[in-house]
Amino acid sequence: MRRIDAIKSNAQEFSDEMKGSLAIATTHTQCRYVLPGVIKQFIDSYPDVALHMHQGTPVQISELAANGTADFAIATEAMELYSDLVMMPCYRWNRVILLPADHPLNQLTRLTLEDLAKFPLVTYTFGFTGRSKLDEAFTERGLSPKVVFTAADADVIKTYVRLGLGVGIVAKMAYDPAVDKDLVALDASHLFEPSVTKIGFRRGTYLRGYMYDFIEMFAPHLDKNLIQETIYRQSRNELEELFSQVTLPAH
């Protein structure tokens, strides 16, 4: 069936390279804060390609790509669970701490994990948006943070920070100084290891011209030559070796 799909895609590419469809599975954070500019650029370039967006958990996203429902999966967590996916790193990102202006943590010269652990926390649901890096950082220091509320949506997290439920920890890209001017954002890059967002597609997928272009719009360092080289690499060690020479942009 995969070969039949590839033959159909190949035929469509030669019959009309500007028409087709593209299904993307991703998280709320990617869809809300990272992809809008890319989607607009893509639609302007390919107005006759129908775009379909699927949102879900990282595990659901990876599964949608693995079973062929989505052409691309874009996520930070769980991509490695599916060995049938070709995964490519897109960018690095880290977190900010969100607080009301009058919060005691705003008075500190340099924030520590021990300081954070003293207050109730509001952050992502486990398995979403680099949550594993956050948990690892506290565990390595022997700390047990009090997470009182979790959500998959950064906008929901910000809402509950505003209500005084706790200190928010979100992806840096989810903070908009204009929209979130009532909240103070403290850089947390010294507290947590950076996370890497990846784009993946099912091995054996025939990538049409506009699919290569979408990937490069999303991650400019992933040009067609590098993507094809990635497809030829079979093991995770080979992929790590290939991308060890690539400097990832930061969001």
Side-chain angles (χ1 to χ4, degrees):
M1 292 302 295
R2 292 187 186 185
R3 291 180 180 178
I4 291 172
D5 289 339
I7 291 170
K8 289 180 179 178
S9 294
N10 201 338
Q12 289 169 352
E13 180 72 3
F14 283 99
S15 63
D16 193 339
E17 63 183 20
M18 301 298 288
K19 287 187 177 181
S21 64
L22 179 61
I24 301 164
T26 190
T27 62
H28 171 270
T29 298
Q30 302 296 328
C31 190
R32 168 71 175 81
Y33 298 104
V34 183
L35 282 171
V38 177
I39 295 297
K40 185 180 186 309
Q41 181 184 358
F42 182 83
I43 291 176
D44 289 343
S45 300
Y46 295 96
D48 293 325
V49 174
L51 270 173
H52 308 282
M53 194 75 70
H54 303 274
Q55 290 189 55
T57 68
V59 172
Q60 291 170 336
I61 290 162
S62 299
E63 186 175 353
L64 288 171
N67 66 27
T69 301
D71 297 300
F72 297 142
I74 300 174
T76 302
E77 306 276 359
M79 299 282 276
E80 70 282 352
L81 297 178
Y82 292 83
S83 59
D84 203 25
L85 293 182
V86 177
M87 298 181 298
M88 300 174 291
C90 300
Y91 63 86
R92 296 181 183 276
W93 60 270
N94 217 307
R95 298 146 188 82
V96 292
I97 310 300
L98 296 183
L99 308 161
D102 59 352
H103 197 280
L105 289 179
N106 285 330
Q107 310 304 317
L108 300 179
T109 304
R110 183 175 175 82
L111 187 66
T112 67
L113 286 175
E114 286 77 9
D115 295 323
L116 271 182
K118 295 175 184 177
F119 295 89
L121 302 181
V122 182
T123 190
Y124 296 107
T125 303
F126 187 79
F128 272 84
T129 319
R131 170 68 191 273
S132 61
K133 295 288 186 183
L134 187 151
D135 293 333
E136 288 169 5
F138 282 109
T139 300
E140 287 176 2
R141 299 295 289 270
L143 299 171
S144 300
K146 184 181 179 182
V147 179
V148 296
F149 181 85
T150 64
D153 184 331
D155 292 330
V156 173
I157 293 171
K158 287 185 278 188
T159 296
Y160 283 90
V161 172
R162 291 184 173 103
L163 290 175
L165 193 65
V167 174
I169 306 177
V170 299
K172 184 178 180 180
M173 56 202 157
Y175 175 73
D176 185 334
V179 176
D180 303 318
K181 57 187 176 182
D182 58 324
L183 297 175
V184 175
L186 304 180
D187 180 64
S189 59
H190 64 292
L191 301 177
F192 308 106
E193 288 292 320
S195 294
V196 176
T197 292
K198 298 178 181 179
I199 187 167
F201 55 88
R202 187 175 58 181
R203 192 173 294 279
T205 297
Y206 177 83
L207 296 180
R208 298 187 59 186
Y210 61 76
M211 293 180 174
Y212 283 107
D213 285 348
F214 177 87
I215 294 174
E216 191 168 359
M217 289 175 189
F218 182 64
H221 62 283
L222 295 176
D223 59 23
K224 187 173 183 178
N225 290 334
L226 184 55
I227 295 169
Q228 290 179 336
E229 181 65 24
T230 303
I231 294 172
Y232 297 140
R233 302 294 176 107
Q234 296 294 321
S235 70
R236 185 171 299 176
N237 288 337
E238 289 178 323
L239 288 173
E240 289 177 355
E241 179 185 0
L242 176 64
F243 285 104
S244 66
Q245 307 169 26
V246 177
T247 300
L248 298 181
H251 264 280

